[in-house]
Amino acid sequence: SYIKGYFVTVHFYWTCANPKEVTKLFRIVIADDEAWVPIDLKNNIDWESLGFCVEAYFTNPIEAQQYILLKNPDVVITDITMPMIDGLSLIENLTVNGCSSLFIVLTAHKNFEFAQRSIQLHVSDYILKPIDPEAIRNALNRIRPILENQEKPNSQPISKSSFEEILLYIDSHLSDQLSLQLISDTFFINKNYICNLFQKHLHCTFSSYLTDKRIKLAQQLLSSTQLPLQAVSREIGFNDEFYFSKVFKKNCGVSPGLYRKLHQQIDSMS
């Protein structure tokens, strides 16, 4: 939302507790810079009857991204046209960082390019504004069986050697668009069970492990090759050079370009 040209962050946290029901509610996070959207949706949709609850809402897509990577909700509903980062770039960034959420996108524009990119990003549904609550209900009814299938417990216990195979696969496919869902599909293991394996054996999340490995590979490429930053970004699975630089600086304290320059200076002195 905007006030006199300034972007104002608004976010809500809603409880997903459902003490009267045994059935689990699948968690939804909404990202839309128009603050009235979640209020309208909340008043017009009986989420619990559909098996869902809205856990949080953000008008700031950067804050939404941080929250989603931390909480890994079942579904993310996002507007496409937002300041700072558009909804499709948000989805791409989340997927690159291991988010396994299913995505529904909202847009006020019938744009073929938006629709085409949504398909490439495996978006579950594409809904035009103004939002028809029935369209949301239909989208969630299509998504729920997918989520319920993912929730089925894994029938085979996974040995430590099998987990090591998963780690080896990740380490050797860092340039790919890795996600929890991809690992789950590749090894036929429930994605929540995979999360538990990371916590049990490495005391970290899938996302943090993947990011750490990618940053270490980036450091190696920056210090030992002359690959341009865009190529380094692609080699570690980031399609967006700007986002790669942001993640690298957050983890290393300096930009990729400065990291390379500092290492070149060290090498020239030795």
Side-chain angles (χ1 to χ4, degrees):
S1 56
Y2 301 89
I3 297 179
K4 295 182 179 178
Y6 291 92
F7 183 72
V8 179
T9 300
V10 179
H11 59 258
F12 305 111
Y13 298 102
W14 291 321
T15 178
C16 276
N18 190 17
K20 297 180 181 179
E21 300 290 340
V22 177
T23 306
K24 171 186 174 179
L25 295 177
F26 292 110
R27 300 176 298 118
I28 295 175
V29 170
I30 302 175
D32 194 311
D33 62 302
E34 297 177 301
W36 56 266
V37 170
I39 306 301
D40 186 54
L41 291 177
K42 190 170 179 63
N43 290 337
N44 288 286
I45 296 175
D46 184 355
W47 300 94
E48 289 192 12
S49 70
L50 297 169
F52 293 85
C53 65
V54 178
E55 178 177 282
Y57 165 77
F58 296 87
T59 57
N60 183 322
I62 301 299
E63 290 186 3
Q65 179 173 288
Q66 294 169 346
Y67 182 89
I68 292 163
L69 287 175
L70 180 66
K71 298 293 187 178
N72 199 39
D74 299 296
V75 179
V76 174
I77 300 177
T78 178
D79 189 18
I80 290 182
T81 307
M82 296 186 290
M84 296 186 288
I85 177 173
D86 68 82
L88 296 179
S89 295
L90 171 65
I91 292 171
E92 186 171 18
N93 293 344
L94 291 170
T95 303
V96 163
N97 280 280
C99 175
S100 60
S101 305
L102 299 180
F103 299 100
I104 297 173
V105 297
L106 311 174
T107 180
H109 309 285
K110 289 184 179 180
N111 186 304
F112 174 75
E113 190 175 318
F114 284 168
Q116 188 178 45
R117 194 171 169 208
S118 296
I119 292 171
Q120 292 170 347
L121 291 170
H122 306 291
V123 166
S124 298
D125 230 306
Y126 185 94
I127 297 174
L128 289 173
K129 289 182 173 182
I131 302 168
D132 180 357
E134 189 63 25
I136 296 286
R137 284 190 283 269
N138 290 339
L140 295 178
N141 282 329
R142 286 190 289 268
I143 283 176
R144 192 176 63 248
I146 299 172
L147 294 170
E148 289 171 343
N149 186 57
Q150 292 174 354
E151 284 294 306
K152 290 177 183 177
N154 194 63
S155 59
Q156 297 294 326
I158 306 301
S159 66
K160 188 173 181 181
S161 62
S162 297
F163 180 60
E164 288 172 351
E165 287 181 22
I166 292 174
L167 298 181
L168 182 61
Y169 179 87
I170 293 171
D171 294 351
S172 59
H173 291 80
L174 292 175
S175 62
D176 295 350
Q177 298 298 299
L178 294 174
S179 68
L180 262 177
Q181 189 61 57
L182 175 65
I183 301 300
S184 174
D185 293 342
T186 301
F187 290 90
F188 304 100
I189 303 172
N190 177 274
K191 64 182 182 180
N192 292 328
Y193 192 77
I194 295 172
C195 290
N196 292 336
L197 289 173
F198 273 92
Q199 291 291 350
K200 178 181 178 181
H201 295 293
L202 300 179
H203 308 292
C204 71
T205 64
F206 167 80
S207 177
S208 62
Y209 177 85
L210 179 60
T211 299
D212 181 65
K213 287 291 181 178
R214 282 175 162 163
I215 293 300
K216 286 179 178 176
L217 177 57
Q219 290 174 327
Q220 178 186 335
L221 293 172
L222 290 167
S223 60
S224 62
T225 75
Q226 294 301 316
L227 284 173
L229 295 185
Q230 186 177 23
V232 173
S233 174
R234 287 198 301 268
E235 284 293 319
I236 67 166
F238 285 82
N239 292 330
D240 186 338
E241 181 186 337
F242 173 77
Y243 184 65
F244 157 61
S245 297
K246 184 175 180 179
V247 173
F248 187 93
K249 186 172 183 178
K250 180 181 177 181
N251 283 269
C252 301
V254 295
S255 68
L258 181 56
Y259 181 90
R260 169 174 276 168
K261 187 175 181 179
L262 291 172
H263 272 266
Q264 288 174 342
Q265 290 175 351
I266 293 171
D267 291 341
S268 64
M269 293 170 62
S270 60

